[in-house]
Amino acid sequence: MSKIKKVITGAGVAIFAIVALFVGMYDVASDSIQFDLRIIGESIYEAQAKSGKWPAQIADLEGTAYLRMPYRKGGLEKGIYVMVWQQDLDPKPAANRDRVLAYSNGGLLPWLGVVWACRGDLRTERLTRGEILALQELPSSAGGGGARTRKVTK
């Protein structure tokens, strides 16, 4: 085999390995993000059921399923997930189908434009570019610990 063929074959194998690695990492990262967002959404409803008020800051989620998991509060405080504090949700998740409770904001995927969100009915899905821009235009709110949060006011 000539030297050029060896180089081309080696480059092709390397490119294939890099693509396979990225696809595998993308799936794991997406699953992890969706898991966290779903538990965050459930914790918002859990906090409301306990206190009778919708949470307005990270501290209001104390004692919920999400903050009972290790290292999660730090992630919220660092803005890895942005909370959209909404005070006019219906206690029945199905009625909040089109509302966003939280979305991913940290890491490579959001940097590449792949932003996952938890909807009010606890579905997780990718946001469109327009939805991302609309959420980023909401006024920032102190969510405890310097977290990036968004407050919805009507």
Side-chain angles (χ1 to χ4, degrees):
M1 185 185 279
S2 73
K3 191 173 189 174
I4 293 176
K5 285 184 181 180
K6 287 181 182 178
V7 169
I8 291 172
T9 301
V13 168
I15 290 171
F16 176 79
I18 290 169
V19 168
L21 179 66
F22 180 77
V23 168
M25 288 178 15
Y26 172 84
D27 286 343
V28 170
S30 290
D31 289 348
S32 176
I33 290 167
Q34 290 176 69
F35 171 81
D36 274 276
L37 287 168
R38 193 171 303 109
I39 303 298
I40 289 170
E42 291 171 1
S43 292
I44 289 171
Y45 287 103
E46 182 183 348
Q48 192 277 336
K50 285 181 179 179
S51 70
K53 303 184 304 189
W54 291 104
Q57 58 185 353
I58 294 169
D60 295 343
L61 296 176
E62 287 296 336
T64 62
Y66 191 70
L67 292 189
R68 285 192 301 266
M69 294 173 18
Y71 310 109
R72 295 313 203 264
K73 186 173 184 177
L76 290 178
E77 291 173 342
K78 291 176 186 170
I80 293 171
Y81 298 104
V82 176
M83 307 296 294
V84 183
W85 304 113
Q86 305 202 42
Q87 300 304 304
D88 61 345
L89 294 169
D90 190 296
K92 296 177 186 141
N96 302 313
R97 179 175 175 75
D98 297 324
R99 309 289 288 277
V100 172
L101 302 177
Y103 61 94
S104 61
N105 189 54
L108 181 61
L109 293 181
W111 185 76
L112 292 172
V114 179
V115 177
W116 290 95
C118 178
R119 298 280 183 183
D121 62 356
L122 303 177
R123 284 176 300 127
T124 56
E125 64 183 16
R126 282 184 59 184
L127 293 179
T128 66
R129 183 77 181 135
E131 289 173 313
I132 296 165
L133 293 173
L135 286 169
Q136 291 172 341
E137 290 175 4
L138 291 173
S140 291
S141 165
R148 287 196 53 205
T149 62
R150 302 290 178 206
K151 186 138 199 127
V152 174
T153 54
K154 288 196 174 195

